[in-house]
Amino acid sequence: MLTHWLFWIGALFVVIFLRYLAFSGLYHYMLRLRLRDRLRHRIFHYEVGAGAQVQREIRRSAVVSLIFAVFGILVLYLWQNGSTRLYTKLATASDWIWLVAGTLLFLLAQETYYYWIHRWMHRPGVYERVHQWHHESIETTAWTAFSFHPLEAVLQAAFLPVSVLIIPMHAFAFLTLLAVMTLSATINHAGIEVFPTRWANLPLLRGLIGATHHDVHHKQARYNFGLYFTFWDKWMGTESPRFTERFQRYSSRHARESKTQTQAR
């Protein structure tokens, strides 16, 4: 039995790690290299992305991927035992309601959990033992997404088995959320703003966290602790006062060019 589960942990590790390498590599290649000239005004920095930093990030991400695989198999074990609230059929009105409600509840619960855990990890004595590894990448790359200490990986991954024990979710929605987690982490760390400038004026979209928001956190660690949304940062007064100006600068070609011309005078 142990050999059986170890095999599946190993198989899931390969899937998670290779997906991370492929997605991060493709994202970096397309936006930072192939479309570099077209998106130049959106890129925060140019020279980071090769050499020792990326090698360190990939090594650490391999360990993190293994930890994620262990927790992923734990979720599978709980599901096979009938201990979770995951379901696979859409046979009743309740199933359809929870298809949406479960997804939203998961996102809000994870956002709340991550925000407060993140703030806790910045406390003196905790930061040095748990979170400092991640902040060694001041200028982040697409590979920074999984680059953190094993203890932090455990703290992040622990939310998943707890969530499936409590929140009714369709299995497909749950798997989709796992993909969203990877996508969000890569977008937020790749060092290039991909959200349009006009999103700042749309109520449902301006609360989303993108690359600029999280890049500020890596440079001003006392601000911007959110994962997907900005509402906790706004409510707790931890959103950087520099965020809006930086977002406008990196999402608008006109704003970036105007600033450069002003500085050149």
Side-chain angles (χ1 to χ4, degrees), residues 56 60 121-122 126-138 147-149 152 218:
R56 181 188 71 234
R60 292 177 177 177
M121 288 191 296
H122 276 268
V126 179
Y127 176 81
E128 294 80 5
R129 293 179 174 87
V130 180
H131 196 48
Q132 187 172 351
W133 279 22
H134 187 62
H135 276 273
E136 288 178 6
S137 299
I138 298 173
S147 178
F148 34 80
H149 194 280
E152 182 173 352
H218 275 260

Side-chain angles (χ1 to χ4, degrees), residues 71 74-75 78 106 113 157-167 169:
F71 279 87
L74 175 58
V75 170
L78 293 172
F106 177 95
Y113 173 79
F159 176 82
L160 296 179
V162 174
S163 70
V164 298
L165 293 174
I166 300 173
I167 304 172
M169 279 185 291

Side-chain angles (χ1 to χ4, degrees), residues 80-110:
Q80 288 186 339
N81 282 352
S83 301
T84 75
R85 303 198 67 184
L86 294 173
Y87 62 94
T88 57
K89 296 181 179 179
L90 293 170
T92 67
S94 177
D95 294 337
W96 285 97
I97 290 172
W98 280 109
L99 177 64
V100 177
T103 300
L104 294 176
L105 187 57
F106 177 95
L107 289 171
L108 293 175
Q110 187 183 27

